[in-house]
């Protein structure tokens, strides 16, 4: 093998190593931690009789919970999934801000089909989720 071929082989090995390192070190979503548990096991102010997990996991198709720390330093738990909202099937995303000590949280922002919901629309979406839960409970009685 000539020196040029040795160099090409060496370069290929280095590039493959970089690629493998990138794949194994790629940032993965955090889907299980204390901040997510705080939201799932908690209650929203107007719906203190049903855990967030129960209501949203029932109303959303394939709910996906993830955690990240925002650039502002806030702890954010995001819930996403498909849902029927105002008669339209679509994808919703809700973001909860969790306190540093993971004892309190509040619903911060929400989107439906990539449109940011205002306070009234956000309240309507949350109310609909809990109404769906209540109807399910009545159906089982």
């Amino acid at each position: 093998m000539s020196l040029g071929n040795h160099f090409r082989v060496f370069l290929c090995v280095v590039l493959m190593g970089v690629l493998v390192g990138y794949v194994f070190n790629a940032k993965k979503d955090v889907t299980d931690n204390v901040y997510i548990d705080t939201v799932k096991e908690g209650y929203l102010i107007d719906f203190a009789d049903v855990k967030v997990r129960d209501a949203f996991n029932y109303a959303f198709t394939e709910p996906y919970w993830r955690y990240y720390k925002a650039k502002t330093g806030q702890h954010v738990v995001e819930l996403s999934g498909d849902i029927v909202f105002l008669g339209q099937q679509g994808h919703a995303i809700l973001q909860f801000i969790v306190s540093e000590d993971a004892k309190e949280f509040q619903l911060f922002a929400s989107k439906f089909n990539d449109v940011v919901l205002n306070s009234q629309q956000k309240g309507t979406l949350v109310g609909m989720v809990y109404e769906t839960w209540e109807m399910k409970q009545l159906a089982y009685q």
Side-chain angles (χ1 to χ4, degrees):
M1 241 165 88
S2 70
L3 183 61
N5 285 340
H6 283 297
F7 181 73
R8 282 188 217 124
V9 169
F10 174 75
L11 189 58
C12 286
V13 169
V14 169
L15 288 175
M16 289 301 293
V18 169
L19 180 62
V20 169
Y22 174 77
V23 168
F24 284 110
N25 291 318
K27 185 176 179 183
K28 306 257 190 282
D29 280 350
V30 176
T31 58
D32 185 27
N33 75 5
V34 67
Y35 296 104
I36 293 173
D37 291 342
T38 296
V39 175
K40 284 182 169 181
E41 297 301 318
Y43 300 87
L44 292 177
I45 292 171
D46 294 334
F47 306 97
D49 57 336
V50 180
K51 288 182 181 180
V52 170
R53 170 198 318 254
D54 295 336
F56 284 91
N57 279 357
Y58 179 75
F60 277 59
T61 303
E62 297 184 23
Y64 183 74
W65 297 85
R66 75 180 187 113
Y67 161 81
Y68 64 93
K69 191 167 186 177
K71 291 179 183 177
T72 60
Q74 294 174 306
H75 299 280
V76 180
V77 171
E78 188 173 272
L79 166 63
S80 62
D82 293 336
I83 190 169
V84 176
F85 178 54
L86 300 177
Q88 183 180 5
Q89 177 72 32
H91 189 76
I93 300 172
L94 288 90
Q95 294 177 332
F96 301 87
I97 302 297
V98 184
S99 64
E100 183 73 30
D101 62 2
K103 293 190 185 280
E104 299 177 345
F105 68 93
Q106 65 180 2
L107 179 58
F108 180 68
S110 57
K111 285 195 222 181
F112 182 72
N113 287 341
D114 292 324
V115 176
V116 176
L117 302 179
N118 63 33
S119 295
Q120 182 179 2
Q121 293 166 323
K122 184 170 48 174
T124 301
L125 174 63
V126 171
M128 186 208 68
V129 165
Y130 281 89
E131 285 175 19
T132 302
W133 172 258
E134 289 173 7
M135 288 189 296
K136 173 190 167 200
Q137 296 309 305
L138 290 174
Y140 286 126
Q141 292 179 354

